[in-house]
Amino acid sequence: MFDLVSKYTPQGDQQQAIDKLMKSINAGNMHQTLWGVTGSGKTYTMANLIKGVGKPTLIMSHNKTLAAQLYSEFKTFFPNNAVEYFVSYFDYYQPEAYIPRTDTFIEKDSAINDEIERLRLSTMGSLITRKDVIVIASVSCIYGLGSPDDYQNMMLPVKVGDEVGRDEFLAQLVELLFERNDVEFSRGRFRVRGDVVEIRPAYLEQTAIRVEFFGDEIEKISEIDTRSGHKMGDLDQFIFFPAKQFVTSQDKMKKAIVAIRKEMKARVAEFEKKGKLIEAQRIRMRTEYDIEMMHEMGFCQGIENYSRHITGREKGATPYTLLDFFPDDFLLLADESHATLPQVGGMFEGDKSRKGVLVEHGFRLPSALDNRPLRFEEYMKKTHQRVYITATPGPFEFTNCRPDNKTYIPWVKGEMSANQAIKILRKQVKPSNTLDSVDEFDVESRGATLMVQQIIRPTGLLDPILTMKPLDGQIDATIELCRDRVGKGERVLVTTLTKKTAEELSEYLGEVGLKVRYIHADIDTIERVEILRQLRAAEFDILVGINLLREGLDLPEVSLVCILDADNEGFLRNETSLVQTAGRAARHVNGECVLFCDKVTDSIQELLDITQFRRSVQMAHNEKHGISPQSVIRAVQQSLSLAEETKEAAKLVNQSLVAEEGVDYNVMQVLDELETEMREAATKLEFERAGHLRDQIAELKKKAGIEDKPATPAKKNKVDYRKL
């Protein structure tokens, strides 16, 4: 069912990992872990598992950036299958909230990313109509959606020869929450020109559907390119999915309105009985307005807060999520599970706390509490066979990966920290070593360990050399180390503990003649993409950051990682963080991680032990097979900033715009289109394309005399790093 397209075959110890995991999955086990080092090709192993299992697959990641990276890779691996992307569709999201202490109500404010919304709708459509589906998702997939049955029942199939009037067809489109707009033809809208109706489905990228009528019969169905308006081809039939993620039939909506009004009256009476007249008036006005919008438009802002009534669920019942769109036997791959699983577990309580205050003070009905993310136990109940992929497994993976575990064993941090628990569990749990044969891998015995190691890199690269240096003079030492690597044409990552320190350190390193930038969460996505591209292209040599320099950052030119204050035990300096951060140097033949510390903490010691074991296995493998380690080589596309290239790019953009014949566009319109393309590229994790578009915009502005005024940096209290 899944067609894996790759010029590579499994290398190193990838095949043993694939075979062992397949053996465990085929035995019906619920939990198994791929314990793979950075750069060992875990993604390729995942792709082979999907091909071997042959079931619809959900790949979960703990952040958008990594999810998008996986989406790009799996689109390449499975070009003939449905590879979908499902993450939060908000570029900016401020949930509604109320602060009783100051009597402050914060309205919901958000900016929906049109492209991500399209991809989410495409995901839902693929899951309903296809079996060969791979969905890469963030934890947003555990948040409430409409009922999959309602979504499926609302589909509108049409074919040539159907007897249906134009006006009836338009009414059906409106019921699917399409909007008529004859001027702005954007996603989720349709326009009418006589007997020709053009619909732009919200889940298609640059394609619209033209339906032509002859009397009360569909005469022709065509695909058209929304950029040029040209016909792409004729269709015999087409299925229209709803234009919104939360839809229901008119009958269900009528019943829901009755139930909502009944709950509102009961809530008003409850408030009035307690003498809370303001709250009573508030909930009455807000709910009546929403009811009116649902009655007239079939939709209202915040309609998800009424999901319990719309879907007909009981109070406290599990909400519908993306997981309900999958068949019961789908496969779950939890990427970077040490971060993804705790994130899933923490979503419910945070949401409950905020909404509880809104309900208490009359901003929402109590049923809004049932519009929520899944509890962890619900999440585990809705998933069946799971593979956890990580370089640093946590207590959950160690505890649960055994054949006799048919549910799950929760791990809640109490008196014992995660690091302490892992230390104990390591003595009790023996994973399947990379040198162990598949036949030796026990997938049936009670208490057997279903954890598979993958520590051989196809490139022959070893884990980075670990070097410890004293805290005294760590900045001067870092400068010398950086100068040495820069002299060799290599790049350096430096990790700090705070954003302020990252900024101030980068400024100081710049003052001593080094080419340096910093990166952290306050820098917008496009800027982060550009910074990483520039580092790889040697436009600067040193990148200073915090935890953004951990999981999933693929920078093969980096040969040195400097971890400042490495013995400051805590979240950023625990075993997991140290292993992940050190791994950023694992893609270079001269990879080294320097830890500045005055004492060897438990976390540092674990890093030393793990690295020593892995290097010994990796060196033995290389010696046995005559492999010489080679740095990972991946081309860096150069910036397209030449005048002629920019001029041609602007010309192409001009030609791509949907317009009537003879219309010409000025430079501002071209710039607007380029900026839109740049944001969409960043959304799809087409990092290099986003960076190039950014260069084009800058060059075009320069040619047109539209210069961006640089912001005046705020004055900061400087730290004298000479004293550190």
Side-chain angles (χ1 to χ4, degrees):
M1 183 166 64
F2 290 99
D3 182 19
L4 175 57
V5 178
S6 175
K7 62 181 180 180
Y8 304 107
T9 57
Q11 302 292 322
D13 57 355
Q14 289 176 340
Q15 191 61 61
Q16 63 88 28
I18 296 166
D19 292 343
K20 289 175 183 177
L21 290 170
M22 282 296 304
K23 183 179 180 181
S24 180
I25 293 169
N26 291 335
N29 293 316
M30 300 291 101
H31 309 264
Q32 38 268 311
T33 292
L34 173 62
W35 189 346
V37 302
T38 300
S40 63
K42 295 191 292 292
T43 303
Y44 187 58
T45 299
M46 292 161 65
N48 278 274
L49 280 177
I50 293 171
K51 178 185 177 182
V53 174
K55 296 178 179 179
T57 302
L58 171 63
I59 304 173
M60 283 190 66
S61 179
H62 67 289
N63 67 50
K64 283 185 179 181
T65 302
L66 293 184
Q69 180 175 302
L70 288 168
Y71 174 65
S72 178
E73 291 173 337
F74 278 93
K75 286 281 284 187
T76 303
F77 283 142
F78 298 98
N80 304 317
N81 302 111
V83 180
E84 304 288 353
Y85 184 57
F86 192 95
V87 300
S88 170
Y89 58 8
F90 296 110
D91 282 335
Y92 165 76
Y93 182 66
Q94 170 60 61
E96 62 181 356
Y98 179 65
I99 306 172
R101 186 178 68 256
T102 58
D103 191 28
T104 303
F105 176 70
I106 303 171
E107 286 279 3
K108 177 181 175 180
D109 186 19
S110 64
I112 292 177
N113 187 301
D114 184 56
E115 175 63 17
I116 293 182
E117 185 179 32
R118 181 190 72 77
L119 291 168
R120 285 169 65 98
L121 289 165
S122 176
T123 300
M124 295 159 69
S126 291
L127 286 170
I128 286 175
T129 58
R130 303 179 64 164
K131 296 293 184 184
D132 62 330
V133 183
I134 302 167
V135 179
I136 292 86
S138 67
V139 292
S140 65
C141 68
I142 70 169
Y143 279 82
L145 282 180
S147 164
D149 290 337
D150 286 349
Y151 195 85
Q152 187 168 3
N153 293 335
M154 293 287 287
M155 293 190 306
L156 175 59
V158 295
K159 62 178 184 289
V160 175
D162 278 353
E163 292 186 5
V164 57
R166 191 205 67 169
D167 292 345
E168 182 184 348
F169 178 65
L170 297 181
Q172 291 173 329
L173 289 176
V174 171
E175 190 173 343
L176 295 186
L177 301 182
F178 282 87
E179 299 176 13
R180 178 170 180 173
N181 193 314
D182 294 334
V183 178
E184 185 181 355
F185 192 42
S186 55
R187 294 190 186 105
R189 294 180 174 178
F190 66 91
R191 61 188 181 192
V192 184
R193 298 175 181 177
D195 288 334
V196 178
V197 182
E198 293 179 341
I199 310 99
R200 190 163 180 193
Y203 46 90
L204 297 183
E205 190 168 6
Q206 298 292 348
T207 303
I209 304 299
R210 179 181 290 154
V211 180
E212 301 177 43
F213 289 83
F214 183 78
D216 289 340
E217 182 181 324
I218 295 177
E219 184 181 38
K220 194 174 185 180
I221 303 173
S222 312
E223 287 183 299
I224 60 174
D225 188 329
T226 58
R227 295 164 294 189
S228 65
H230 297 152
K231 187 171 78 171
M232 299 163 59
D234 293 327
L235 301 172
D236 293 327
Q237 57 187 2
F238 189 81
I239 298 176
F240 291 99
F241 296 105
K244 302 285 186 185
Q245 299 176 49
F246 208 103
V247 293
T248 192
S249 64
Q250 289 185 356
D251 290 341
K252 281 194 172 183
M253 183 61 75
K254 290 177 181 178
K255 293 178 181 178
I257 289 173
V258 173
I260 293 167
R261 183 170 276 115
K262 181 180 178 181
E263 185 186 12
M264 178 199 68
K265 290 179 178 179
R267 189 61 171 165
V268 168
E270 184 181 345
F271 278 137
E272 289 177 344
K273 186 177 179 180
K274 295 179 180 179
K276 296 183 176 181
L277 302 183
I278 294 175
E279 288 83 352
Q281 178 67 8
R282 182 183 290 151
I283 194 63
R284 181 187 288 111
M285 290 179 63
R286 288 178 64 89
T287 309
E288 286 287 5
Y289 176 78
D290 287 345
I291 287 175
E292 185 177 350
M293 291 296 295
M294 285 186 281
H295 181 75
E296 295 295 329
M297 308 294 295
F299 199 78
C300 74
Q301 291 297 320
I303 192 171
E304 63 275 6
N305 289 292
Y306 304 105
S307 61
R308 192 183 87 195
H309 297 299
I310 294 173
T311 57
R313 292 182 288 118
E314 296 294 324
K315 181 180 179 180
T318 303
Y320 292 110
T321 67
L322 182 71
L323 303 185
D324 293 290
F325 284 76
F326 282 89
D328 291 339
D329 63 341
F330 76 96
L331 177 67
L332 170 68
L333 304 180
D335 192 41
E336 305 292 354
S337 58
H338 64 279
T340 301
L341 295 178
Q343 199 174 67
V344 171
M347 292 295 176
F348 172 77
E349 290 300 332
D351 184 82
K352 180 183 176 183
S353 175
R354 176 181 60 82
K355 284 186 180 158
V357 176
L358 291 169
V359 170
E360 182 184 350
H361 293 86
F363 291 96
R364 286 293 174 192
L365 293 172
S367 57
L369 293 170
D370 287 320
N371 168 45
R372 57 175 178 81
L374 297 175
R375 298 184 180 93
F376 191 77
E377 60 268 24
E378 293 171 330
Y379 167 76
M380 298 304 290
K381 195 175 287 184
K382 285 182 177 288
T383 58
H384 302 285
Q385 289 195 296
R386 317 165 188 93
V387 181
Y388 311 116
I389 298 99
T390 178
T392 52
F396 185 90
E397 292 91 333
F398 276 106
T399 305
N400 281 275
C401 292
R402 43 192 246 200
D404 53 304
N405 181 15
K406 302 303 180 183
T407 54
Y408 80 100
I409 305 167
W411 185 84
V412 181
K413 186 175 179 180
E415 297 181 358
M416 189 181 299
S417 68
N419 274 348
Q420 292 170 321
I422 290 172
K423 193 173 181 180
I424 295 171
L425 287 164
R426 274 212 180 114
K427 296 178 181 178
Q428 304 171 349
V429 177
K430 185 179 182 297
S432 178
N433 191 282
T434 184
L435 302 176
D436 297 339
S437 70
V438 177
D439 292 338
E440 293 175 305
F441 186 53
D442 187 356
V443 298
E444 296 179 354
S445 300
R446 182 179 180 86
T449 302
L450 302 176
M451 300 183 77
V452 178
Q453 288 190 334
Q454 182 175 301
I455 61 178
I456 305 295
R457 297 182 176 88
T459 55
L461 287 172
L462 310 178
D463 272 35
I465 295 170
L466 300 179
T467 305
M468 289 184 288
K469 292 181 178 293
L471 289 174
D472 186 31
Q474 62 178 334
I475 301 302
D476 287 338
T478 298
I479 291 171
E480 291 307 311
L481 289 167
C482 288
R483 284 173 172 163
D484 177 63
R485 298 289 172 150
V486 171
K488 299 175 182 177
E490 299 166 4
R491 300 313 176 262
V492 181
L493 300 182
V494 181
T495 65
T496 67
L497 291 172
T498 67
K499 289 184 283 189
K500 183 179 180 182
T501 307
E503 294 176 12
E504 292 177 342
L505 178 58
S506 64
E507 184 177 348
Y508 179 71
L509 295 178
E511 290 175 354
V512 299
L514 294 169
K515 293 163 48 178
V516 60
R517 297 285 300 274
Y518 66 82
I519 188 171
H520 54 60
D522 290 346
I523 296 174
D524 67 65
T525 304
I526 296 293
E527 185 68 19
R528 271 183 262 166
V529 168
E530 178 67 2
I531 288 171
L532 295 177
R533 187 192 69 81
Q534 289 176 353
L535 177 69
R536 296 201 62 219
E539 294 182 29
F540 66 94
D541 305 302
I542 302 151
L543 182 61
V544 183
I546 317 167
N547 61 334
L548 287 177
L549 304 183
R550 288 174 50 196
E551 297 95 340
L553 196 61
D554 186 5
L555 301 170
E557 295 79 12
V558 171
S559 68
L560 174 67
V561 174
C562 294
I563 304 178
L564 304 185
D565 303 301
D567 57 1
N568 193 333
E569 191 80 77
F571 172 69
L572 294 176
R573 296 294 183 265
N574 61 23
E575 179 193 331
T576 298
S577 294
L578 292 177
V579 171
Q580 291 284 353
T581 305
R584 296 316 101 201
R587 290 180 170 88
H588 200 284
V589 70
N590 298 325
E592 181 181 5
C593 177
V594 177
L595 299 101
F596 291 96
C597 57
D598 286 338
K599 61 181 179 182
V600 178
T601 63
D602 290 343
S603 296
I604 293 176
Q605 187 60 56
E606 289 294 343
L607 173 63
L608 294 171
D609 294 342
I610 290 170
T611 302
Q612 183 181 6
F613 167 73
R614 289 175 175 174
R615 284 180 62 89
S616 65
V617 174
Q618 292 159 354
M619 285 189 289
H621 177 84
N622 289 351
E623 185 176 349
K624 180 180 179 180
H625 297 278
I627 299 172
S628 298
Q630 297 180 348
S631 296
V632 175
I633 299 175
R634 191 160 62 87
V636 181
Q637 196 173 354
Q638 298 300 311
S639 179
L640 305 178
S641 58
L642 297 175
E644 288 301 315
E645 290 174 325
T646 303
K647 182 179 179 182
E648 183 63 24
K651 181 181 177 182
L652 291 172
V653 170
N654 192 8
Q655 293 172 349
S656 74
L657 298 174
V658 179
E660 300 296 329
E661 292 185 5
V663 176
D664 194 19
Y665 288 90
N666 60 33
V667 68
M668 297 304 296
Q669 290 171 307
V670 176
L671 283 170
D672 182 65
E673 183 71 12
L674 281 169
E675 288 175 350
T676 300
E677 286 194 22
M678 178 181 69
R679 294 189 185 93
E680 288 184 358
T683 299
K684 300 175 184 177
L685 205 70
E686 296 173 356
F687 293 152
E688 293 176 352
R689 178 169 170 252
H692 307 326
L693 287 166
R694 185 187 183 95
D695 291 342
Q696 292 174 16
I697 292 168
E699 186 67 24
L700 195 57
K701 284 183 177 180
K702 183 179 178 181
K703 293 292 180 182
I706 309 170
E707 296 288 348
D708 289 327
K709 294 182 179 179
T712 304
K715 293 184 178 179
K716 299 179 290 188
N717 295 323
K718 291 188 178 181
V719 176
D720 189 355
Y721 285 100
R722 295 176 181 86
K723 298 180 180 179
L724 297 179

